[in-house]
Amino acid sequence: MKTYKHLFEEVCSFENILKASKNAQKGKRFTAGVLTFNYQLESNLLTLRDELLAGTYIPGNYRTFYIFDPKHRKISAAPYRDRVVHHAVCNILVPIWDRQMIDDNYACRKGKGSHEAITRFHQFARRYDYVLKCDIRKFFDSIDHATLKQLLFKQLRDLRLNRLLDLIIESTHSSVGLPLGNLTSQWFANMYLNHFDHYIKETLRCKGYIRYMDDFVIFSDSKVELREVKTRITDYLCQIHLSLHDRKCKTWPLVNGVSFLGFKIYPTHRVLLKRNVHRVKRRFAYFQRAFKARTISTETIRVSVASWLGHLKWGDTYRLKQNLLERFVLSRE
């Protein structure tokens, strides 16, 4: 296994921290925290860099809130200066981590994502008869810090960088769980299951396998084989303090269609799940009400509608799009 040294200097370089600040503020330029930080940008970045180099940097407190999208989730938002640090770390480490991952890991990675995972699922659905669909129980909340650090530090032979990663991991003051909302949390979680991905592909020899964060699917022409695979992956996950959500882990015949990342995918076609159809209809109706009440801008509506239509194109949704657009009329009368 290749090891890496002297990465901390790259993380703390002014060029990297400046790049990190630009990445961290995308889509949030006019929020209070970003505006305050940017008012004295160079001074704040230099202070942050000095703290990192001197080993005096301490993460701030999280701001927590809940969202329903569609599950009830707790989001922990770090202070903006901490998010800059997270991006600075990921700028250097993500290219290293990404090279170690299997092709069919679609979470967080450039050129991947949910839509590519859906396309790949459809390809496998045409080749196999069955799919084992799995979900890890409370994945982010169950990640063991000691196990995570062991996995990360095995390659990173840089004491100062490891100390910084340790600070970020332990910033919740708990020995287990990662906060939803951090860029680093997404990549730490991805790396936590990286060896699991290789176990599936190289030890169990499962050719049809896709993972998107804590959701993963395994394809086969044999239900018996998938039952055996499920037993072995349950044992493996137990070793890293994770468990499968039994109610959500089932083997399905692909000919009947299987739900995956918001679509129901058949060997011949794919359609948007009914709950997501209702969701987009409610969203469009909200835009009409908000526009009439003058509480939303036309540009905000345009961007969101374009995003939804872009998502819909990944399924056989021509009639749905026509129906939505025919009824979508903005009026203030």
Side-chain angles (χ1 to χ4, degrees), residues 145-158:
H145 290 186
T147 303
L148 173 62
K149 286 185 277 190
Q150 183 180 16
L151 291 170
L152 297 179
F153 297 170
K154 187 180 293 185
Q155 272 194 304
L156 303 176
R157 302 299 175 86
D158 187 322

Side-chain angles (χ1 to χ4, degrees), residues 247-271:
R247 185 173 58 84
K248 296 182 179 180
C249 297
K250 294 181 180 179
T251 297
W252 303 87
L254 285 157
V255 69
N256 294 337
V258 178
S259 61
F260 184 65
L261 299 180
F263 286 85
K264 190 164 187 179
I265 305 174
Y266 298 82
T268 53
H269 63 288
R270 51 200 182 200
V271 297

Side-chain angles (χ1 to χ4, degrees), residues 141-147 149 169-170 172-178:
D141 291 337
S142 302
I143 291 176
D144 180 71
H145 290 186
T147 303
K149 286 185 277 190
I169 293 169
E170 301 296 342
T172 55
H173 308 293
S174 172
S175 63
V176 65
L178 295 176

Side-chain angles (χ1 to χ4, degrees), residues 111-209:
K112 301 290 184 177
S114 61
H115 294 142
E116 286 71 19
I118 290 166
T119 299
R120 185 63 163 158
F121 188 107
H122 200 181
Q123 293 172 354
F124 283 136
R126 293 171 175 172
R127 291 166 49 185
Y128 295 96
D129 293 331
Y130 300 98
V131 62
L132 172 64
K133 189 171 175 235
C134 295
D135 177 85
I136 296 176
R137 184 189 298 273
K138 297 182 178 179
F139 176 49
F140 275 86
D141 291 337
S142 302
I143 291 176
D144 180 71
H145 290 186
T147 303
L148 173 62
K149 286 185 277 190
Q150 183 180 16
L151 291 170
L152 297 179
F153 297 170
K154 187 180 293 185
Q155 272 194 304
L156 303 176
R157 302 299 175 86
D158 187 322
L159 291 178
R160 291 191 294 172
L161 178 57
N162 289 350
R163 180 182 178 277
L164 176 58
L165 295 181
D166 186 87
L167 277 175
I168 296 171
I169 293 169
E170 301 296 342
S171 61
T172 55
H173 308 293
S174 172
S175 63
V176 65
L178 295 176
L180 277 172
N182 286 355
L183 177 64
T184 47
S185 293
Q186 296 175 36
W187 277 98
F188 289 158
N190 222 354
M191 286 299 292
Y192 198 80
L193 288 179
N194 184 47
H195 288 284
F196 173 72
D197 293 338
H198 286 279
Y199 172 75
I200 295 288
K201 296 289 288 184
E202 297 160 15
T203 301
L204 300 187
R205 302 286 183 178
C206 298
K207 295 182 179 179
Y209 170 70

